[in-house]
Amino acid sequence: MREELFADRVQPDTPSRLEGLFPQMDFDDAITFTAGSPAEDLFPKEAMQQAYLDAIAAEGAHTFQYHTISGPEELRSRLAVRAQQKMAIEGVDADNVMLTAGGQQGIDLIAKLMLNKGDGLVVEAPTYVGALSSFDMYEPTYYEVQLESDGMDVDQLEETLKAHNNIKLVYTVADFHNPGGVTMSVEKRKRLVELANEYDFMILEDTPYRDLRYVGESLPSIKHFDTEDRVIFLSSFSKILMPTLRLGWMVAPKAVIKQLYKLKEAADLEVPNITASAVNQFLAKNDLDKHIEGLIKAYSGKRQAMFDALAKEMPEGVEATCPEGGFFTWVTVPDFINTTDLLYDVVTPKAHIAYVPSKNFYAFKDHTNGMRINFTGLTPDQIADGMHRLGGVLKEEMSKASLKTAQ
Ligand SMILES: Cc1ncc(COP(=O)(O)O)c(C=O)c1O
């Protein structure tokens, strides 16, 4: 094998950003807060099984044939209606909706559409690690904008835009941020669109957790405020149905979708018809919103268990975000604690728990005192136990540090 023949973007000696993200633990009492996985016991297994059967019954052998790049029009129409009703995105029809292999493929295709090597790309700090792994492949120039409790710092964004005229794309996870847990305010959503118009860039609004709001009122999407076709709204069935469907969907201007189809065709020819048809059947015969209500009920309890445990177990000086929805809370520890070292040296081997350390969520991997904690994949008892163990480790680290300072 001759690695030097590989394209520059591969960088064989650099591990993938997703490699080693979820350390494996063989301990019987292991509790892991790492995954972004929905709870398996909430999957609508029987209904989805029936939906696959219905899809096959409706089309017979043709179900398994090659189909079209765009996938079933009926499904795209349903999603266009959902975009209008739930996301406040007006004036869209089936042809504004593109189906993708998970939201992840949507991110990748949009990056491929927009970014030449060196082009400016703004990401939140921190941001979704899977997006960084896609973006890396297009070798952009990253500009990080801090994430605040009400979303990205739009003043810092404007300063960045003034200083750099190569910025083409801003990527944001506006609802129940992964990993930050925060939600962008309405004011910031509007301002972001105004900045896009003024400084001429596109916005990728990535929002797979949007339906999973546990408290407060739903906010209009950023796309709702779009006046110049600059916002691409991206969603997914992974968190509200099942990740293995690998079915994402975006709402975008038709001219954008036309170009994205060229890129998708080159990557994988078409949407798997069996899955898209099954999801269409599922939506025809089941009430998706009722199913989501069930998820919200279950996840609300886990979220509360996480807040209670954090309040009880974390020492002073440790802060956590208060997500109104989604899967994650972001914990910040004093900056003398390196959360990557702590994970591998102490937390995993001794406390038998795991989180994802902050460095993974930064374009430049240079942030060392945070951690992403998932609360949807565990029972309230596991959350309480795991946070007790984490709190114990942090207390010990902090008292070691204060002893050192006292000496
Ligand atoms: C913010 C965000 N975007 C996109 C994805 C990709 O999800 P999928 O490809 O399963 O739709 C995830 C998954 O965790 C995510 O958290």
Side-chain angles (χ1 to χ4, degrees):
M1 189 183 59
R2 297 197 9 98
E3 285 182 348
E4 57 277 25
L5 297 180
F6 295 168
D8 292 348
R9 73 179 77 89
V10 176
Q11 301 196 4
D13 295 331
T14 309
S16 140
R17 285 192 188 256
L18 298 167
E19 199 177 306
L21 205 60
F22 306 142
Q24 290 300 314
M25 286 184 292
D26 292 330
F27 311 110
D28 290 342
D29 64 344
I31 299 176
T32 172
F33 294 95
T34 51
S37 313
E40 275 178 38
D41 56 333
L42 301 172
F43 289 159
K45 290 183 296 295
E46 281 79 27
M48 191 55 77
Q49 191 174 344
Q50 188 57 48
Y52 272 87
L53 293 175
D54 292 345
I56 296 166
E59 281 188 76
H62 188 61
T63 318
F64 303 103
Q65 189 51 278
Y66 283 115
H67 278 72
T68 57
I69 180 87
S70 53
E73 185 175 353
E74 202 173 286
L75 175 58
R76 288 182 292 110
S77 294
R78 286 184 202 286
L79 294 171
V81 170
R82 192 164 179 83
Q84 304 202 38
Q85 290 175 347
K86 300 274 166 191
M87 330 294 176
I89 302 174
E90 288 102 30
V92 288
D93 61 33
D95 293 334
N96 291 100
V97 175
M98 177 172 174
L99 303 173
T100 54
Q104 187 65 32
Q105 188 185 42
I107 298 171
D108 190 60
L109 294 178
I110 291 159
K112 199 174 202 174
L113 179 76
M114 305 268 325
L115 299 172
N116 293 314
K117 185 174 177 175
D119 280 346
L121 165 67
V122 171
V123 292
E124 287 150 341
T127 190
Y128 166 51
V129 58
L132 291 173
S133 73
S134 277
F135 294 147
D136 285 352
M137 293 302 132
Y138 303 99
E139 303 172 271
T141 302
Y142 283 112
Y143 299 105
E144 287 188 329
V145 170
Q146 291 310 306
L147 192 65
E148 301 179 308
S149 58
D150 59 349
M152 72 159 72
D153 179 346
V154 283
D155 292 330
Q156 190 194 354
L157 173 64
E158 181 155 24
E159 290 310 309
T160 309
L161 291 161
K162 278 184 188 150
H164 305 280
N165 64 6
N166 63 341
I167 294 170
K168 291 168 105 179
L169 182 65
V170 171
Y171 171 73
T172 178
V173 183
D175 300 290
F176 323 126
H177 196 274
N178 175 7
V182 301
T183 293
M184 188 185 281
S185 67
V186 172
E187 293 67 37
K188 285 191 172 178
R189 288 169 197 243
K190 286 187 196 153
R191 175 103 186 271
L192 186 55
V193 171
E194 283 161 15
L195 289 173
N197 293 345
E198 189 178 341
Y199 290 90
D200 191 22
F201 60 86
M202 298 279 289
I203 299 167
L204 171 50
E205 177 183 19
D206 180 18
T207 179
Y209 305 96
R210 186 181 161 85
D211 291 309
L212 299 172
R213 175 176 276 282
Y214 314 131
V215 288
E217 293 295 305
S218 178
L219 303 182
S221 60
I222 300 173
K223 178 88 185 137
H224 169 76
F225 299 106
D226 190 9
T227 49
E228 296 184 3
D229 275 352
R230 290 178 179 278
V231 184
I232 299 174
F233 173 92
L234 180 63
S235 186
S236 168
F237 285 106
S238 288
K239 314 295 176 178
I240 54 169
L241 284 180
M242 300 149 165
T244 197
L245 298 169
R246 308 309 308 130
L247 197 63
W249 56 286
M250 71 174 87
V251 179
K254 289 174 184 162
V256 170
I257 290 187
K258 189 172 167 202
Q259 302 310 319
L260 286 171
Y261 277 149
K262 283 203 285 205
L263 305 178
K264 181 166 168 63
E265 199 174 73
D268 61 1
L269 279 187
E270 58 183 51
V271 180
N273 179 63
I274 178 77
T275 300
S277 297
V279 171
N280 187 40
Q281 292 286 343
F282 179 92
L283 297 178
K285 300 193 178 125
N286 298 275
D287 182 344
L288 179 63
D289 291 317
K290 193 141 181 272
H291 168 67
I292 292 173
E293 270 173 35
L295 300 180
I296 289 174
K297 197 159 166 250
Y299 291 155
S300 298
K302 292 168 190 262
R303 168 184 175 271
Q304 193 56 49
M306 179 58 84
F307 287 175
D308 294 346
L310 285 167
K312 182 165 168 226
E313 307 290 354
M314 292 302 126
E316 211 174 306
V318 173
E319 281 170 22
T321 55
C322 267
E324 294 181 334
F327 278 22
F328 307 107
T329 181
W330 180 254
V331 173
T332 307
V333 298
D335 56 15
F336 58 82
I337 296 179
N338 178 315
T339 50
T340 304
D341 295 346
L342 189 72
L343 178 70
Y344 291 103
D345 296 347
V346 187
V347 169
T348 305
K350 296 195 180 137
H352 302 178
I353 56 169
Y355 52 75
V356 186
S358 53
K359 116 176 165 193
N360 298 286
F361 302 105
Y362 285 76
F364 303 108
K365 301 185 186 166
D366 57 354
H367 187 283
T368 53
N369 66 321
M371 58 182 85
R372 185 188 80 176
I373 299 206
N374 166 273
F375 56 82
T376 49
L378 299 163
T379 63
D381 284 349
Q382 288 172 315
I383 291 171
D385 184 359
M387 286 301 109
H388 178 67
R389 297 188 214 172
L390 180 63
V393 170
L394 290 173
K395 279 173 203 154
E396 207 170 299
E397 290 300 305
M398 288 166 74
S399 70
K400 267 196 260 168
S402 62
L403 271 179
K404 264 195 207 151
T405 350
Q407 275 162 8

